[in-house]
Amino acid sequence: MPTLDDLNHAAPGDVVATLGAVFEHAPWVAEAAAGRRPFATVEALLGAMREAVEAAPEAARLELLTNHPELAGRAARDGAIAPDSIAEQASAGLDRLSEAEYARFAALNADYRARFGFPFILCVKRHGRASLLGAFATRLASDPETERATALAEVFRIAAIRLATLVDGPGTPRTTGRVSTHVLDTAAGRPAPGVAVELHEWVSDTETALVARAVTNADGRTDAPLIHGRPVPIAAYELRFRIGDHFRATQPGLPEPPFLDIVALRFGAADPEGHYHVPLVASPWSYQTYRGS
Amino acid sequence: MPTLDDLNHAAPGDVVATLGAVFEHAPWVAEAAAGRRPFATVEALLGAMREAVEAAPEAARLELLTNHPELAGRAARDGAIAPDSIAEQASAGLDRLSEAEYARFAALNADYRARFGFPFILCVKRHGRASLLGAFATRLASDPETERATALAEVFRIAAIRLATLVDGPGTPRTTGRVSTHVLDTAAGRPAPGVAVELHEWVSDTETALVARAVTNADGRTDAPLIHGRPVPIAAYELRFRIGDHFRATQPGLPEPPFLDIVALRFGAADPEGHYHVPLVASPWSYQTYRGS
Amino acid sequence: MPTLDDLNHAAPGDVVATLGAVFEHAPWVAEAAAGRRPFATVEALLGAMREAVEAAPEAARLELLTNHPELAGRAARDGAIAPDSIAEQASAGLDRLSEAEYARFAALNADYRARFGFPFILCVKRHGRASLLGAFATRLASDPETERATALAEVFRIAAIRLATLVDGPGTPRTTGRVSTHVLDTAAGRPAPGVAVELHEWVSDTETALVARAVTNADGRTDAPLIHGRPVPIAAYELRFRIGDHFRATQPGLPEPPFLDIVALRFGAADPEGHYHVPLVASPWSYQTYRGS
Amino acid sequence: MPTLDDLNHAAPGDVVATLGAVFEHAPWVAEAAAGRRPFATVEALLGAMREAVEAAPEAARLELLTNHPELAGRAARDGAIAPDSIAEQASAGLDRLSEAEYARFAALNADYRARFGFPFILCVKRHGRASLLGAFATRLASDPETERATALAEVFRIAAIRLATLVDGPGTPRTTGRVSTHVLDTAAGRPAPGVAVELHEWVSDTETALVARAVTNADGRTDAPLIHGRPVPIAAYELRFRIGDHFRATQPGLPEPPFLDIVALRFGAADPEGHYHVPLVASPWSYQTYRGS
């Protein structure tokens, strides 16, 4: 990955080669930014790109929106969209829709395009399935002017995430969040090692999808956060801990079924760039959680 | 409902008319007890019935077992069993089995009867579905002598519950437990009223069944315990609280989705005659529970 | 204690004999109320007395204030005040002041009387020592009109408490609060019996005074609330639990000194008629408390 | 500070100059260890010194004990003891005793020396005042053989701590513990910054001594642990948090006095080399703590 310093000193063509896809099908944004180098921070580079978009003629900005691929659309399905978009849509599970879901997206996309004249644009990496569909419904009811601004704001969010993975430098915009946990055994006064943990997303009121699986280490933590290095999709989650197995092993004589076996902590994340530390502090007969730090 | 005092002074035939069904198809047990009146407590009356069974010839005791209806068996299905048995099996959902489940019970019953010579007897009011099937599997692996003692112990448990509903008097054997809850809002320092609460039983690893539904009153409690007046079936449960609605109403400005929306407290009950008080003590960003009193 | 019904049918002279001291040195208030009988509730009787005071000429109202004894004043010291006042002042410890404290009260009383023309009146049963001195300081800085209203409101509070102890009837004004606790052992999932509990009042930033002492019973509660049947004095409190002794007895092998030995829960009470339930929910390595219900 | 590598290559005389005081008045221990160089870890160097002591004639070992200064003894008072001992005794407050305490130590020292023939030796850095006096009483009741072994073990503990401050190298023996905290506001779902925290030691049943004072930073933590870089003296502690000020600032409208103002967490530390993380997780109406990690 090139450093910001590399880019500051590269030929303009190389800058465009590196950053041309930050704004989909719009290398002219990278070109404009190349002309304003050097930048002290990646944030400043992103700012220059944003200003280039904002200073462009209305038609160019509209084209920027129009050129975006639909979510779960025909082009995405046929692989006819930019590689970044493919990965982003896959991260939201949009490449694994059922036929019914695919049809629902097709209908929503058609309605949206009919109403606003450009495809529905959302930084999908920041949304879980339910949130994505909720945003679709909300924005369909918006007025054209507001919606154009909203769509552009989403384009900038997408650009920030892409840029952060393309350039290594100081002042990188914050585009990632974290979900983490730890397990403390308050009957023993020690972290609980070896506890199986699963993170699920509530994709609808009745359905969950596995996001991550881990086992706590000697310090009662997972070796890596359960979500990290990316935005935390806006969603309701459920952390499941097989804490009963821990207490069976450490405190013989508990009843069967035990008072606590699988503990499920449901929590919502509304801030994709936030840190959600959701610990389990438990004895065989009590537990608690909180949003920690 | 007659009092113990009534029974102490009734004609022997009336005693048998009242208590004849406490031991299924075995009015001779009530008859024997009638001859040992008066009793100071219902517990003493039950003890006399138990002693009558224990003093009876081996053949009579075996007949007592043999006469018991199968769980979810053909006789139960056809209504050809004692009314108490019908109600007891219904309380465990055994009258609402799918064809596959019914077939599974039929196979287990056949195996059990082939091995031990009498039907599988369990005080079903004390068991949830998973516990019932677990007991079936465990006891199929038992040896005949132990199993005969276990079956008899279950007959006595069934008798205790039946007796407690037939006679009103001092020293009634404890045959009921309780599941209760309350909701405390630690951000406001007050009970949380109007919170929708549901109690579900985990009937298998993947399936829950609704047991009770309530809304908390001004004191943060439900007007009645969620389970009471009967044994608490041995099972894993899940209490669900729509606490997010409470905080939406009392603390405007929380993010959407909120950190806490539906809170699910999973707990196991292994003591059917116990009191499981499982409160929810919550702020918008933390909660805890414990087995209380 | 006469019932409200008794009073409704008593001779006017007997009513005055019973209720004459509700307003200090002002039997005319009882007399006026006697003329408005019958009353359906004690609250209504109190309301009639309050209205009699409010309808009286300004001079009579001022006399009502002027006739009140000073707090910790010379008259109180010499026993020259009404028996109710003696008991009330004793309940706040004003009969056990050091010479320095006595002098401080004398100075405050003199300042107050010089400024407002009547003695400082406060329903002392509703205040701890620090709150009482704080109220003294605040009210010395008040303006005469506000202060006269405040003093009268305190006279009504004193009257309500006195009345509630003199008449037995429906609709008694709420003049009592409660401080209670219970101890739950979350390592064992059971109430903790036999735990020594003390309630102290922080009478100043550095000094506490013992209010009550108890031992938890089999249900982890004290047989009676630690404060009840009277207002909870506005104050900072400290509940001390010798929980270490409980865990030493039930969980051999804990280190010495234990992580938890004496647990001190400090809490403030600002609502004398409120219920402060302050439980201790503890394992050997964790504890929590909250204002419960 | 010399590195272990430096010492491995130094002249024997320089080794003795550096490490001669690790064992009080016994440079021969360092000399013996110098002859066994090189050492891969500081732990191995310490092991060699320990073995030198264990291999020495009984008389030399006894002399090692006899040469140790008394705790709070005349020599300490007159400054006639090794600089390390001065600092160690000062760390336990033994240089600030009242006359009565000094007399008590003098009597205990005399009893101990009369009984065992050498002074009472304790690694004072690992003990609070109450623990130190408790150890004195316990060991006075010990038998001579056990006590000689105990005294020698304490000499090794003192040596380990001294050595760890004299040599910089891999495998340094663990001679330090930690007391730390953080404050979480569960009403806001955020760390609580700006909270004044004090750590006190309970030096007797009625007296506390301030150990450290700090204010929580933006992350709700103190910039440095409250005790670190040294053993945690075995003692009962009290953490005091002025959490009421935090809630006054962030949640206007709470009553005065507030339910929570100063929160005092009392906890005991029995493991001087352990980490005692004692957080405060609080809303205005509830709080909890636990031994964390």
Side-chain angles (χ1 to χ4, degrees):
Chain A
M1 176 154 61
T3 65
L4 182 60
D5 199 52
D6 293 341
L7 285 185
N8 276 335
H9 298 95
D14 290 347
V15 173
V16 175
T18 303
L19 305 181
V22 167
F23 287 80
E24 191 121 2
H25 302 303
W28 55 268
V29 183
E31 210 171 290
R36 290 184 49 196
R37 291 175 298 165
F39 298 107
T41 64
V42 178
E43 190 76 77
L45 164 56
L46 179 64
M49 297 179 95
R50 189 184 295 119
E51 283 160 27
V53 172
E54 282 161 354
E58 181 65 25
R61 261 203 311 283
L62 183 56
E63 202 189 332
L64 195 63
L65 301 182
T66 313
N67 282 346
H68 250 270
E70 282 182 339
L71 289 188
R74 166 80 27 212
R77 229 187 182 189
D78 298 346
I81 62 174
D84 281 345
S85 284
I86 294 177
E88 287 157 11
Q89 297 205 14
S91 92
L94 298 183
D95 58 339
R96 297 181 301 277
L97 297 180
S98 67
E99 278 307 308
E101 291 170 321
Y102 177 80
R104 183 168 174 204
F105 269 98
L108 284 166
N109 275 322
D111 284 358
Y112 186 95
R113 187 185 287 271
R115 179 157 164 75
F116 299 112
F118 50 86
F120 177 71
I121 302 171
L122 184 78
C123 180
V124 290
K125 285 203 162 180
R126 300 177 76 252
H127 292 268
R129 181 85 61 87
S131 170
L132 190 159
L133 288 169
F136 222 144
T138 306
R139 286 173 52 186
L140 259 171
S142 183
D143 65 279
E145 194 177 352
T146 304
E147 189 51 28
R148 201 179 280 204
T150 302
L152 208 56
E154 292 294 318
V155 166
F156 293 142
R157 282 180 162 148
I158 295 166
I161 294 174
R162 291 180 179 178
L163 186 62
T165 64
L166 289 173
V167 187
D168 190 12
T172 296
R174 191 173 167 213
T175 57
T176 64
R178 253 186 303 164
V179 172
S180 61
T181 191
H182 78 272
V183 186
L184 198 71
D185 175 343
T186 58
R190 276 192 294 271
V195 177
V197 180
E198 288 178 357
L199 178 67
H200 296 259
E201 179 191 328
W202 280 89
V203 292
S204 76
D205 278 356
T206 55
E207 192 195 346
T208 62
L210 183 67
V211 175
R213 210 192 287 269
V215 172
T216 57
N217 58 25
D219 199 33
R221 299 173 189 274
T222 59
D223 288 338
L226 296 162
I227 295 181
H228 64 125
R230 56 157 295 160
V232 177
I234 296 172
Y237 293 92
E238 180 168 318
L239 266 168
R240 288 188 204 141
F241 302 83
R242 305 200 74 92
I243 194 70
D245 291 343
H246 168 74
F247 289 127
R248 273 184 196 96
T250 56
Q251 299 213 14
L254 292 172
E256 252 339 304
F259 184 67
L260 298 186
D261 197 358
I262 296 170
V263 164
L265 304 180
R266 291 199 193 184
F267 67 95
D271 173 14
E273 291 77 33
H275 180 191
Y276 290 85
H277 184 67
V278 184
L280 175 62
V281 180
S283 80
W285 300 95
S286 69
Y287 70 89
Q288 58 202 210
T289 192
Y290 47 81
R291 181 171 180 186
S293 63
Chain B
M1 177 153 60
T3 65
L4 182 60
D5 199 51
D6 293 342
L7 285 186
N8 276 334
H9 298 94
D14 290 348
V15 173
V16 175
T18 303
L19 304 182
V22 168
F23 286 80
E24 190 122 2
H25 302 305
W28 56 268
V29 183
E31 210 172 290
R36 290 185 51 195
R37 291 176 298 164
F39 298 108
T41 64
V42 179
E43 190 75 76
L45 163 56
L46 179 65
M49 297 179 95
R50 189 184 295 118
E51 283 160 28
V53 171
E54 280 160 356
E58 181 65 25
R61 263 205 306 287
L62 183 56
E63 203 189 330
L64 195 64
L65 301 182
T66 313
N67 281 346
H68 249 271
E70 282 183 337
L71 289 188
R74 165 85 21 217
R77 229 189 182 185
D78 297 347
I81 61 175
D84 281 346
S85 283
I86 293 176
E88 287 158 11
Q89 297 205 13
S91 92
L94 299 183
D95 58 339
R96 298 181 301 276
L97 297 180
S98 67
E99 278 307 308
E101 291 169 321
Y102 178 79
R104 186 171 172 201
F105 269 97
L108 283 166
N109 275 321
D111 285 357
Y112 186 94
R113 187 185 288 271
R115 181 159 162 73
F116 299 112
F118 51 85
F120 177 71
I121 302 171
L122 185 78
C123 179
V124 289
K125 284 203 164 180
R126 300 175 76 253
H127 291 269
R129 181 84 60 87
S131 170
L132 190 160
L133 288 169
F136 223 144
T138 306
R139 286 172 50 188
L140 259 171
S142 183
D143 66 279
E145 193 178 353
T146 304
E147 190 51 26
R148 201 178 280 204
T150 302
L152 209 55
E154 292 294 318
V155 166
F156 293 142
R157 282 179 162 149
I158 295 167
I161 294 174
R162 291 180 179 178
L163 186 61
T165 65
L166 289 173
V167 187
D168 191 10
T172 297
R174 194 174 166 211
T175 56
T176 64
R178 256 187 301 165
V179 172
S180 61
T181 189
H182 77 271
V183 185
L184 199 71
D185 174 342
T186 58
R190 274 193 295 270
V195 177
V197 181
E198 288 178 356
L199 178 67
H200 296 259
E201 179 191 328
W202 281 90
V203 292
S204 75
D205 278 356
T206 56
E207 192 196 343
T208 62
L210 183 66
V211 174
R213 210 192 287 269
V215 172
T216 58
N217 57 26
D219 199 33
R221 298 171 190 273
T222 59
D223 289 336
L226 297 162
I227 295 180
H228 65 125
R230 56 157 295 160
V232 177
I234 296 172
Y237 292 93
E238 180 168 318
L239 266 169
R240 288 188 203 142
F241 302 83
R242 304 200 75 92
I243 193 70
D245 291 342
H246 168 75
F247 290 126
R248 273 183 196 98
T250 56
Q251 299 213 13
L254 292 173
E256 260 328 313
F259 184 67
L260 297 186
D261 198 356
I262 296 169
V263 164
L265 305 181
R266 291 199 192 184
F267 67 95
D271 173 15
E273 290 78 32
H275 180 192
Y276 290 84
H277 184 66
V278 184
L280 174 63
V281 179
S283 80
W285 301 94
S286 70
Y287 69 89
Q288 59 202 210
T289 193
Y290 48 81
R291 181 170 181 187
S293 63
Chain C
M1 175 153 62
T3 65
L4 182 61
D5 199 52
D6 293 340
L7 285 186
N8 276 334
H9 298 94
D14 290 348
V15 173
V16 175
T18 302
L19 305 181
V22 167
F23 286 81
E24 190 122 2
H25 302 305
W28 57 267
V29 184
E31 210 170 289
R36 292 183 50 196
R37 292 175 298 165
F39 298 107
T41 63
V42 179
E43 191 74 77
L45 164 56
L46 180 65
M49 296 179 97
R50 190 185 295 118
E51 283 160 28
V53 171
E54 280 159 356
E58 180 65 25
R61 262 205 308 287
L62 183 57
E63 202 190 330
L64 194 64
L65 302 182
T66 312
N67 281 346
H68 249 271
E70 282 183 339
L71 290 187
R74 165 81 26 214
R77 229 189 183 189
D78 298 348
I81 61 174
D84 281 347
S85 284
I86 294 177
E88 286 158 12
Q89 298 206 12
S91 93
L94 299 183
D95 57 340
R96 296 182 302 278
L97 297 180
S98 68
E99 279 306 309
E101 290 169 322
Y102 178 80
R104 185 169 172 204
F105 269 98
L108 284 166
N109 275 323
D111 285 357
Y112 186 94
R113 187 185 288 268
R115 179 157 163 74
F116 298 112
F118 51 84
F120 177 71
I121 301 170
L122 185 78
C123 180
V124 289
K125 283 202 164 181
R126 299 176 78 251
H127 293 268
R129 180 86 60 87
S131 170
L132 190 161
L133 288 169
F136 222 145
T138 305
R139 286 172 52 186
L140 259 172
S142 182
D143 66 278
E145 194 177 352
T146 306
E147 188 52 25
R148 202 179 278 205
T150 303
L152 209 54
E154 291 294 318
V155 166
F156 292 142
R157 282 179 163 149
I158 295 166
I161 294 175
R162 290 180 180 179
L163 187 61
T165 64
L166 289 173
V167 187
D168 192 10
T172 297
R174 191 173 167 212
T175 57
T176 64
R178 254 188 302 165
V179 172
S180 60
T181 190
H182 77 272
V183 185
L184 198 71
D185 174 343
T186 58
R190 275 192 295 271
V195 177
V197 181
E198 288 178 356
L199 178 67
H200 296 259
E201 179 192 329
W202 280 89
V203 291
S204 76
D205 279 357
T206 55
E207 192 195 344
T208 62
L210 183 66
V211 174
R213 210 193 285 270
V215 172
T216 58
N217 57 26
D219 199 32
R221 299 172 190 273
T222 58
D223 288 337
L226 296 163
I227 294 181
H228 65 125
R230 55 158 294 159
V232 177
I234 297 172
Y237 292 93
E238 180 167 318
L239 267 169
R240 288 187 203 144
F241 301 83
R242 304 201 73 93
I243 193 70
D245 291 342
H246 169 74
F247 289 126
R248 272 183 197 98
T250 55
Q251 299 213 13
L254 292 172
E256 262 322 316
F259 184 65
L260 297 186
D261 197 356
I262 296 170
V263 164
L265 305 180
R266 291 199 194 185
F267 67 95
D271 173 13
E273 291 76 35
H275 180 191
Y276 290 84
H277 185 66
V278 184
L280 175 63
V281 180
S283 80
W285 301 94
S286 70
Y287 69 89
Q288 59 201 210
T289 192
Y290 48 80
R291 181 169 180 187
S293 64
Chain D
M1 175 153 60
T3 65
L4 181 61
D5 199 52
D6 294 340
L7 285 186
N8 276 334
H9 299 94
D14 290 348
V15 174
V16 175
T18 301
L19 304 182
V22 167
F23 287 80
E24 190 120 2
H25 302 303
W28 56 268
V29 184
E31 210 172 291
R36 291 184 49 196
R37 290 175 299 164
F39 297 107
T41 63
V42 179
E43 191 76 75
L45 164 56
L46 179 65
M49 296 178 97
R50 189 185 295 119
E51 283 159 26
V53 171
E54 281 160 356
E58 180 65 25
R61 263 204 307 286
L62 183 57
E63 202 190 330
L64 195 64
L65 301 182
T66 311
N67 281 346
H68 249 271
E70 283 183 337
L71 289 187
R74 164 89 15 221
R77 229 189 181 185
D78 297 347
I81 61 175
D84 280 346
S85 283
I86 294 177
E88 287 157 11
Q89 297 205 13
S91 93
L94 298 184
D95 58 339
R96 296 182 301 278
L97 297 180
S98 68
E99 278 307 307
E101 291 170 321
Y102 179 79
R104 185 172 173 200
F105 269 98
L108 285 166
N109 274 322
D111 285 357
Y112 186 95
R113 188 185 288 271
R115 180 159 163 73
F116 299 112
F118 50 85
F120 178 72
I121 302 171
L122 184 78
C123 180
V124 290
K125 283 201 164 180
R126 299 176 78 251
H127 293 268
R129 181 85 60 87
S131 170
L132 190 160
L133 287 168
F136 222 144
T138 306
R139 287 172 52 188
L140 258 171
S142 182
D143 66 278
E145 193 177 353
T146 306
E147 189 52 27
R148 202 179 277 205
T150 303
L152 209 55
E154 291 294 318
V155 166
F156 292 142
R157 282 179 162 149
I158 295 166
I161 294 174
R162 290 180 179 178
L163 186 61
T165 64
L166 289 174
V167 187
D168 192 11
T172 297
R174 193 174 166 211
T175 57
T176 65
R178 254 186 303 164
V179 172
S180 61
T181 190
H182 78 272
V183 185
L184 199 71
D185 175 343
T186 58
R190 275 192 296 270
V195 178
V197 181
E198 288 178 356
L199 178 67
H200 296 259
E201 180 192 328
W202 280 89
V203 292
S204 75
D205 278 358
T206 55
E207 193 195 345
T208 62
L210 183 66
V211 174
R213 209 192 287 268
V215 172
T216 58
N217 57 26
D219 199 32
R221 298 172 191 273
T222 59
D223 289 337
L226 296 163
I227 295 181
H228 65 124
R230 54 158 295 159
V232 177
I234 296 171
Y237 292 93
E238 179 167 318
L239 267 168
R240 287 188 204 143
F241 302 82
R242 304 200 75 93
I243 193 71
D245 291 342
H246 168 75
F247 289 127
R248 272 184 198 98
T250 55
Q251 299 213 14
L254 292 173
E256 259 326 315
F259 185 66
L260 297 186
D261 197 356
I262 297 170
V263 164
L265 305 180
R266 291 199 193 185
F267 67 96
D271 173 13
E273 290 77 33
H275 180 191
Y276 290 84
H277 184 67
V278 184
L280 175 63
V281 179
S283 79
W285 300 93
S286 69
Y287 70 88
Q288 59 202 207
T289 192
Y290 48 80
R291 181 170 180 187
S293 63

